[in-house]
Amino acid sequence: MATVLICRRFPRLSRVTTFSTTAKCQAESGSSKSKQKKEENPETANTRTESAAKIQLLNPLDYRVLYNPSAYAKSRAASQQHAARNSDQALGDAFTSPGTVQVQHTFGTASSQALPPLRNALPKPKSKPLLEQTVSAQLSAAQTKEEAENIKTEMHDSKEDPRVFQKGRPEYRSLSYDKFELIETLPLEEGDSILHSVAVCKGSQSPGTITDYFCKLSCLPVEQHAALVSEPRFNTLCRCAVKNIALFSTSDLIDILKACVRLVVPPTHPLLNACENEFCRRVWDMNLDQLLLVADCWRCLERSVPSYLSILFSYANMHWKDLTLPQFVQLIYIIGEGRRSPADLTQKVESMILKYLDSFTLEEVGAICLGLFKSLSGISDHVMRKIADRVSPQMEDMSTYALVNVLKMLRYTRMDHLPLLKELGKVIPARIPTTNIQGIMHITLTCSSLHYFDEGIMAAVAMSLPSKVTYCRSKDAAKFLWSFGCLDYEPPNEEEFYSSLIEQMHRKLHEFGKFPEHLLTGLLGLAFVKRFPEELIDYALRDEFVQKTRGSKYELKKDLFTLSKSVEIECPSYQGSRLPPQLYQEITEMVLNFAEQEIYVRPEIVEAASLLESMLGGPEYVKNHMILPHTRSSDLEVHLAMDGHPIPFNLKNSVADKKLKDIGVRLTDDLMTQLIKGRCNSQSLMEVENEARTPGQERGEEAQTPRVGDRAALLGGALIADARLQVEPQSGHGLEAPPTLTLNRHPRGVKLAIQVSNRNHYCYCSKRLLGLHCLKRRQLQQLGYVVVELPFWEWFPLLKRTRLEKLSYLHYKVFDPALLSRAG
């Protein structure tokens, strides 16, 4: 059995608990020529060949895992990317933009390994073959029945699939182009005769004759269409039509346009330019059925017609009350395919949805959601909830395609509709194996975007994905990694799952130059679950790639920052590319400025910081800041000695807060007692509460710092305080004098990172922490901090209770003997 170091096929991985992985395989036999050929084409996997593999990981800590690469079906050209981008990565404090997440990682090894050379994908043919021909060709190439089934499952026609709803009602036949309409095939001889007549007459035919010629020629056998469109005599016919364009009746002009659809005339053809201009001129003389039909033909021709659509939307706005149900659904479909959202139609769209909601078929509901999603149309929570209410009880009867479209809109509106999500967990796992990869991606992304964790759904996705992974676009692979990382879920087949996706990221490396956000999205998702593919991270942190991120339409600096700093903390031996120091400084300042305006000032954080200062002795004992700016959430830092006493460390803020300017001090009995005896009489916190806050005066209160052994008494409510120096400035605001402190000698103790959490840190309706916040707490612990949480389900209700109750709770959290034992 041979043992080889994997350097290209399987990327090196690093985990926080870095490890070495050994896989047992049969030795590979074959000529050096065949090996070289396989090396040149890494996407071609020999399913009969297995090789012994030893994957060296960073910081090995005896973590062992069996790696068994699967055989994958041959990949095919991916469908076009959707333009709409979901708001899927909002993670509370962490990610403020709804876009894709990017991250940065750094790794070190004894011998650095170069990235494998980039492979370019085969170029797409300019003229897209018919779906049936593509299916037939791929099925014939498939070697096994399983491969054939996979290809059938993964076939996605971005033009035809969204039009399935049109088969549900006969009314759509007058509103849309039907490619399945039965048409009698024209013999080749008759076609040649028509072209001969065109050449002889040279454009002298009547508009009716020209229309008839177009209709007949479009009935030639499909395999003849490409040759016909490039035929000089056909171009003569087109010039004749353009010359007489104003003489055609509207119905004749529509027939010519439909003929162009059948012939797959290029969208930039001069004839189509003339037709668009003429239809724009005639809009107000056409009926809505004709307008929608023409718009549908433009979609079939893949021609962008913004001027025509603007006029169509204006027409629809004026005749809104006359729209029938099919006309409305077809209009929403056109709006979606045009990627345009008419602002003046938003309220009318919502009212029409509510009007017809119970009458829509489930496919029409899916079509409406897809149209709204593609056009980035806003929709109220009320209407989205009504749609979800309609879908939930009938989900089993809904096609997976229509259901995925509803999920896209649910994700876009960030609607937490629990009945629909619960029903999804019952219906969708069984469908995952027969759902194409893009559909599975949208299902998974919806769960992560809504922070909804359903182990049945996620496990089904994980088990199905390795055999489908070669069908993943770069976007799909990245979103899968992000979703699983966001929900902090590592499935039963985690090694196979993650290895297959990381390998696919390597295959798609050439795509990340155009879509840099996808690489960062995937790497951040991996970082959440302590996985760091060294070569991909090195590539993402190179200057060339960083420059490409600047050209993205998404803000990627913060995500580069998160990635890079995470690698710096968790993979200290990493020796690859790093972000330049000036970029670190720029992003850090940007993050901190945001925190000062949006995070530090949140009421639940301000209240906790204020009470801690009062309890511990002043601002020098508490610091409200970001210990880890790259995680974009705040911490309340507190230092305790081993005997339980707080240690002052925030001296900068203390000095600033303690500057006394023209302050008058009122002599009180307590003050005189303390000056004479050295300390004041002890009194309970309750007594201090009762004495405080007379009009125009605010009393400073401070609880005595308890020793660890006194914690039982504290929890019993007998919280004893030292009434320290009370000074009252002339302004009327209380100011507490600092206690006598030994600043130069700090006993060995513990640093607390107190987290004031909120709902966005957790999965929906659960106490399962999201991936980013798992990463943050993990890294704080690695830096020597003990994490103390004030969970929202405990702290938020306390905000409405008395000060004494809040102080008692904070004592319970801060002076927990278990915290000091961890530091020991």
Side-chain angles (χ1 to χ4, degrees):
M1 180 175 66
T3 301
V4 297
L5 179 64
I6 293 182
C7 59
R8 291 197 179 186
R9 286 290 295 161
F10 306 113
R12 284 181 295 174
L13 301 177
S14 170
R15 296 198 60 163
V16 178
T17 55
T18 41
F19 55 91
S20 61
T21 309
T22 304
K24 293 182 179 180
C25 309
Q26 294 179 353
E28 178 181 0
S29 61
S31 66
S32 60
K33 182 177 180 180
S34 64
K35 291 181 182 178
Q36 182 181 358
K37 196 170 184 179
K38 181 177 180 181
E39 187 75 15
E40 292 173 352
N41 187 7
E43 292 199 33
T44 304
N46 186 347
T47 58
R48 298 178 183 175
T49 302
E50 298 178 350
S51 59
K54 183 177 182 181
I55 303 177
Q56 184 65 42
L57 301 160
L58 296 180
N59 305 330
L61 294 179
D62 297 328
Y63 183 97
R64 303 177 67 84
V65 62
L66 184 63
Y67 178 79
N68 294 316
S70 302
Y72 305 118
K74 295 181 179 179
S75 61
R76 68 176 184 87
S79 302
Q80 295 179 348
Q81 300 268 355
H82 288 295
R85 188 174 189 248
N86 56 73
S87 58
D88 36 298
Q89 294 139 353
L91 285 179
D93 300 330
F95 298 97
T96 57
S97 64
T100 312
V101 182
Q102 311 82 12
V103 278
Q104 207 174 11
H105 297 286
T106 52
F107 288 85
T109 55
S111 59
S112 60
Q113 174 185 341
L115 282 173
L118 304 184
R119 270 74 174 182
N120 295 323
L122 292 175
K124 286 186 177 181
K126 292 183 179 180
S127 58
K128 184 178 179 180
L130 293 179
L131 181 62
E132 293 84 353
Q133 292 176 330
T134 305
V135 174
S136 177
Q138 292 197 336
L139 291 181
S140 62
Q143 298 178 358
T144 68
K145 183 179 180 180
E146 182 179 359
E147 287 177 335
E149 290 300 321
N150 284 341
I151 291 173
K152 283 183 178 180
T153 299
E154 295 305 322
M155 292 308 298
H156 169 66
D157 191 329
S158 60
K159 285 173 60 177
E160 287 303 318
D161 289 351
R163 302 164 63 85
V164 174
F165 73 94
Q166 295 171 350
K167 299 178 181 179
R169 298 180 190 270
E171 293 90 336
Y172 288 113
R173 294 173 186 170
S174 61
L175 307 175
S176 60
Y177 174 80
D178 184 6
K179 67 172 291 186
F180 299 105
E181 179 184 0
L182 295 178
I183 298 176
E184 185 177 353
T185 303
L186 184 75
L188 294 179
E189 296 79 8
E190 188 171 346
D192 189 65
S193 175
I194 292 173
L195 293 174
H196 179 72
S197 298
V198 170
V200 171
C201 297
K202 296 182 180 180
S204 61
Q205 296 93 339
S206 66
T209 302
I210 294 173
T211 302
D212 185 59
Y213 283 172
F214 270 103
C215 293
K216 288 183 176 179
L217 289 173
S218 68
C219 296
L220 284 169
V222 173
E223 59 271 16
Q224 299 296 322
H225 288 179
L228 173 66
V229 172
S230 60
E231 165 70 48
R233 291 174 295 180
F234 179 77
N235 289 330
T236 300
L237 180 63
C238 292
R239 288 193 295 271
C240 181
V242 171
K243 181 180 178 181
N244 298 282
I245 196 77
L247 301 179
F248 290 98
S249 67
T250 299
S251 59
D252 284 345
L253 205 56
I254 292 175
D255 286 340
I256 291 177
L257 192 63
K258 292 169 68 175
C260 290
V261 174
R262 281 193 290 272
L263 292 171
V264 196
V265 173
T268 57
H269 197 283
L271 174 60
L272 298 183
N273 295 337
C275 287
E276 180 185 353
N277 293 334
E278 187 62 22
F279 278 122
C280 287
R281 189 180 67 83
R282 298 188 187 195
V283 163
W284 300 103
D285 298 324
M286 298 165 64
N287 60 50
L288 189 56
D289 280 12
Q290 291 176 321
L291 292 173
L292 292 171
L293 174 57
V294 170
D296 198 62
C297 288
W298 291 131
R299 168 57 189 146
C300 293
L301 287 164
E302 296 185 336
R303 179 180 172 91
S304 177
V305 286
S307 298
Y308 178 83
L309 291 181
S310 294
I311 303 173
L312 167 61
F313 298 152
S314 298
Y315 184 102
N317 195 23
M318 293 183 62
H319 298 82
W320 196 259
K321 293 183 180 179
D322 301 328
L323 286 179
T324 64
L325 186 153
Q327 287 175 335
F328 170 72
V329 179
Q330 181 68 15
L331 177 64
I332 298 299
Y333 163 76
I334 294 299
I335 289 174
E337 296 305 305
R339 304 301 198 276
R340 295 191 55 198
S341 176
D344 55 345
L345 293 183
T346 301
Q347 291 186 347
K348 295 180 178 180
V349 166
E350 290 195 1
S351 64
M352 196 67 76
I353 291 174
L354 295 176
K355 176 182 177 181
Y356 289 126
L357 186 57
D358 292 334
S359 301
F360 291 137
T361 65
L362 293 173
E363 295 303 316
E364 287 172 332
V365 172
I368 290 170
C369 287
L370 181 60
L372 295 175
F373 177 78
K374 284 185 174 182
S375 61
L376 299 179
S377 299
I379 187 174
S380 68
D381 287 352
H382 173 68
V383 174
M384 190 64 237
R385 194 168 295 280
K386 288 290 186 181
I387 292 175
D389 289 341
R390 166 72 198 284
V391 169
S392 299
Q394 297 179 282
M395 191 178 292
E396 288 188 358
D397 301 324
M398 197 172 196
S399 73
T400 303
Y401 183 81
L403 176 57
V404 167
N405 292 336
V406 174
L407 295 179
K408 289 178 182 178
M409 201 59 197
L410 199 74
R411 181 177 82 225
Y412 181 75
T413 57
R414 301 202 64 78
M415 172 62 65
D416 54 343
H417 194 280
L418 195 56
L420 185 145
L421 293 172
K422 286 185 175 180
E423 190 65 22
L424 187 71
K426 299 176 183 177
V427 172
I428 210 63
R431 297 190 186 185
I432 292 295
T434 56
T435 302
N436 70 3
I437 203 71
Q438 291 184 37
I440 297 174
M441 182 272 287
H442 282 293
I443 293 167
T444 310
L445 188 57
T446 297
C447 291
S448 66
S449 297
L450 299 179
H451 298 171
Y452 181 74
F453 176 72
D454 185 297
E455 187 168 9
I457 295 175
M458 302 303 288
V461 170
M463 297 305 295
S464 295
L465 192 135
S467 63
K468 297 170 172 280
V469 74
T470 51
Y471 296 101
C472 284
R473 303 165 297 175
S474 59
K475 175 181 179 179
D476 300 323
K479 297 296 187 183
F480 280 123
L481 291 172
W482 162 258
S483 298
F484 276 72
C486 173
L487 297 175
D488 191 39
Y489 178 63
E490 297 199 46
N493 63 332
E494 59 178 301
E495 294 308 322
E496 181 187 25
F497 173 80
Y498 281 111
S499 296
S500 65
L501 280 172
I502 292 171
E503 186 179 1
Q504 185 67 3
M505 295 280 280
H506 274 266
R507 292 193 192 101
K508 297 296 181 180
L509 203 60
H510 60 279
E511 295 182 10
F512 295 130
K514 186 176 181 181
F515 305 105
E517 62 272 12
H518 296 333
L519 177 58
L520 296 178
T521 296
L523 290 178
L524 187 57
L526 285 166
F528 291 165
V529 292
K530 302 182 288 186
R531 292 174 182 271
F532 300 93
E534 180 182 356
E535 293 86 355
L536 292 177
I537 292 169
D538 176 69
Y539 179 80
L541 298 183
R542 292 178 186 175
D543 291 339
E544 301 90 332
F545 185 82
V546 172
Q547 289 301 320
K548 290 177 181 178
T549 65
R550 297 181 185 274
S552 172
K553 60 182 178 180
Y554 307 119
E555 174 53 66
L556 305 179
K557 289 181 182 178
K558 294 179 182 179
D559 302 307
L560 281 168
F561 186 43
T562 302
L563 173 60
S564 183
K565 282 296 184 181
S566 294
V567 173
E568 184 178 312
I569 294 171
E570 304 204 48
C571 304
S573 60
Y574 172 73
Q575 297 176 358
S577 302
R578 297 179 183 272
L579 291 183
Q582 62 270 22
L583 186 57
Y584 271 144
Q585 183 177 356
E586 175 188 343
I587 303 173
T588 301
E589 291 177 358
M590 178 172 60
V591 170
L592 294 179
N593 289 336
F594 172 79
E596 289 177 357
Q597 299 174 15
E598 301 291 338
I599 299 179
Y600 300 156
V601 296
R602 292 178 179 175
E604 66 273 16
I605 296 176
V606 172
E607 180 76 355
S610 175
L611 289 169
L612 284 170
E613 289 179 5
S614 176
M615 183 179 77
L616 299 176
E620 62 269 30
Y621 293 93
V622 182
K623 187 173 183 180
N624 180 9
H625 69 132
M626 289 182 173
I627 299 175
L628 302 177
H630 64 278
T631 62
R632 282 163 267 175
S633 57
S634 68
D635 314 272
L636 299 175
E637 185 172 356
V638 171
H639 294 186
L640 297 179
M642 290 305 295
D643 61 0
H645 280 79
I647 301 173
F649 69 98
N650 190 21
L651 302 183
K652 181 178 179 181
N653 288 350
S654 176
V655 171
D657 292 343
K658 299 301 183 187
K659 286 184 178 179
L660 305 180
K661 297 182 180 179
D662 298 326
I663 296 177
V665 179
R666 175 178 298 177
L667 292 177
T668 65
D669 292 340
D670 287 339
L671 177 56
M672 292 300 296
T673 300
Q674 184 166 356
L675 289 173
I676 296 170
K677 297 183 178 181
R679 60 174 296 173
C680 66
N681 297 325
S682 298
Q683 49 188 315
S684 69
L685 280 177
M686 184 64 75
E687 292 171 341
V688 174
E689 287 283 343
N690 293 336
E691 293 177 6
R693 293 170 182 77
T694 58
Q697 174 184 358
E698 187 172 300
R699 175 185 289 272
E701 300 156 300
E702 188 173 281
Q704 179 184 18
T705 303
R707 295 181 181 273
V708 175
D710 297 333
R711 184 169 176 272
L714 293 177
L715 297 182
L719 304 178
I720 306 302
D722 277 343
R724 296 217 170 110
L725 259 176
Q726 299 168 14
V727 293
E728 182 182 326
Q730 292 176 350
S731 62
H733 294 286
L735 184 64
E736 297 178 353
T740 302
L741 300 170
T742 304
L743 301 180
N744 296 328
R745 292 184 299 168
H746 290 173
R748 187 168 63 89
V750 58
K751 296 185 295 183
L752 304 184
I754 301 174
Q755 315 280 297
V756 183
S757 65
N758 61 58
R759 286 176 176 81
N760 283 334
H761 295 179
Y762 288 87
C763 291
Y764 180 64
C765 290
S766 80
K767 296 180 181 179
R768 183 187 185 90
L769 202 62
L770 292 171
L772 175 71
H773 301 286
C774 289
L775 172 143
K776 175 184 176 179
R777 298 186 186 191
R778 187 173 73 232
Q779 292 178 2
L780 284 171
Q781 291 168 355
Q782 284 190 254
L783 294 177
Y785 286 87
V786 173
V787 177
V788 177
E789 182 181 10
L790 308 184
F792 69 89
W793 57 85
E794 294 176 358
W795 181 239
F796 279 46
L798 273 174
L799 294 176
K800 301 178 182 178
R801 308 297 290 271
T802 66
R803 179 180 174 85
L804 180 62
E805 289 175 291
K806 287 180 278 192
L807 284 170
S808 178
Y809 175 78
L810 290 176
H811 268 284
Y812 174 84
K813 286 289 186 178
V814 172
F815 297 108
D816 184 350
L819 302 181
L820 296 176
S821 66
R822 294 183 209 173

